[in-house]
Amino acid sequence: MTPELRTERLEFLPYRPEHEDVFVELLRDEEVCRWMGQDLVPEPQIREVFRAILTDIYPQGRFDIWGLWLAGRYIGHAEVKPTGNVEGHELVTALAPGYWGQGLGGEAVRGLLRHAAENLGLTEAYGMVGAENTASLAMCRRLGFRHLRDVVGDDGSVTKLLVIPTAQGGSEESSRTAAEATAQTPAPGAGTTDGPPPAGARGAEGLTGARGATGRVGAVSGQDLAGVVGGAGPAGARDATGTVGAVSGQDLAGVVGGAGPAGATIGEGLAGAATGEGLAGAASAGEAG
């Protein structure tokens, strides 16, 4: 069962039926979708994804997924789920644009790392960040993520696959130590801060953005929001199929009927979320600020 989590400023709350409209608003934002590496999905399909979270993902304990709240306001989305890009779990976060540049993305990732270590028993976690998302890459370096390899999508887009020991990013102090330890080997394109992004940095805040080899963001065997409806989930699905890593067709795109936002086929993309797992493969551990 997905637990409630808290950090200094944020509350991680499992979704409830009354959260549907704010969830839809977040995933209908063009900037959010752009940096999550997925197309805008029709509103009815996003609503199907949300309902699948409540009726499939939570009841079956597929993976942990939360809404992020700041002072009683919904500001974003977070997940910890198995990933098809490697053997392990990836982190996914997505913040509304109005909350970028305030260090909230890094705070959210640290909260996920603590949960991964203390509640899930994980020793390391992965993230994916689009190569052009320099703001999120800067945040990842600040937290101590290390670049493993580039993942090239079917459309030629490049996503950075990153890894971090879960014990390394759980606090501000450990993040500083990690940043110093990795100063000589920064992730490609990464900057140096976790607060306001470096001058000229581009991108959004959060771990999002990798299209993966198939679909949007590397789904785990059907684990992405996109693959939610019909076996595909948006974020980070196991079979690397789906916009956001859908499980078995798990991407937001594959959610409804197994087809993603932009014609994603079975587990590919935001739109396919109906029974799958994950938002948008956003395990990318990135934050623009």
Side-chain angles (χ1 to χ4, degrees):
M1 181 176 182
T2 297
E4 293 186 4
L5 306 176
R6 284 176 174 74
T7 60
E8 181 180 357
R9 293 175 291 176
L10 297 173
E11 287 187 288
F12 295 60
L13 302 179
Y15 284 107
R16 300 195 299 267
E18 58 267 32
H19 300 156
E20 182 173 340
D21 288 342
V22 291
F23 176 85
V24 170
E25 182 179 0
L26 177 71
L27 293 183
R28 287 289 293 162
D29 186 284
E30 292 186 9
E31 284 297 293
V32 171
C33 288
R34 174 191 177 193
W35 294 110
M36 287 180 83
Q38 55 191 33
D39 301 319
L40 280 174
V41 176
E43 181 176 322
Q45 291 181 309
I46 297 177
R47 291 189 182 279
E48 284 194 59
V49 172
F50 181 81
R51 291 161 193 160
I53 292 172
L54 302 183
T55 61
D56 180 18
I57 294 176
Y58 285 155
Q60 295 189 39
R62 293 179 177 241
F63 60 86
D64 292 328
I65 181 170
W66 303 265
L68 295 175
W69 298 78
L70 173 68
R73 298 187 303 276
Y74 177 82
I75 68 165
H77 176 91
E79 305 175 16
V80 177
K81 67 163 66 69
T83 174
N85 297 291
V86 288
E87 286 295 325
H89 287 66
E90 66 179 335
L91 313 179
V92 177
T93 65
L95 296 184
Y99 298 94
W100 296 352
Q102 300 175 41
L104 293 168
E107 184 172 331
V109 173
R110 286 191 294 272
L112 294 180
L113 287 169
R114 281 198 298 275
H115 172 65
E118 297 173 6
N119 301 328
L120 301 180
L122 302 177
T123 58
E124 62 184 9
Y126 298 86
M128 298 188 75
V129 182
E132 296 182 354
N133 194 343
T134 55
S136 284
L137 288 171
M139 179 202 76
C140 290
R141 182 190 171 201
R142 170 71 174 80
L143 293 175
F145 279 84
R146 178 172 57 86
H147 178 253
L148 285 182
R149 66 173 182 270
D150 289 349
V151 177
V152 181
D154 294 340
D155 61 356
S157 61
V158 177
T159 299
K160 303 291 182 182
L161 175 61
L162 312 171
V163 65
I164 185 173
T166 55
Q168 188 167 297
S171 67
E172 285 286 357
E173 182 176 355
S174 62
S175 294
R176 291 193 195 96
T177 302
E180 293 170 1
T182 58
Q184 302 305 314
T185 57
T192 58
T193 68
D194 179 29
R202 302 173 63 245
E205 236 178 83
L207 296 186
T208 60
R211 283 204 161 109
T214 330
R216 284 279 183 305
V217 179
V220 177
S221 213
Q223 282 156 351
D224 262 344
L225 272 192
V228 170
V229 176
R238 286 176 190 158
D239 284 330
T241 336
T243 283
V244 178
V247 176
S248 246
Q250 288 150 340
D251 264 342
L252 269 193
V255 171
V256 180
T265 304
I266 290 205
E268 281 164 309
L270 235 191
T275 75
E277 305 157 49
L279 229 183
S284 14
E287 131 170 309

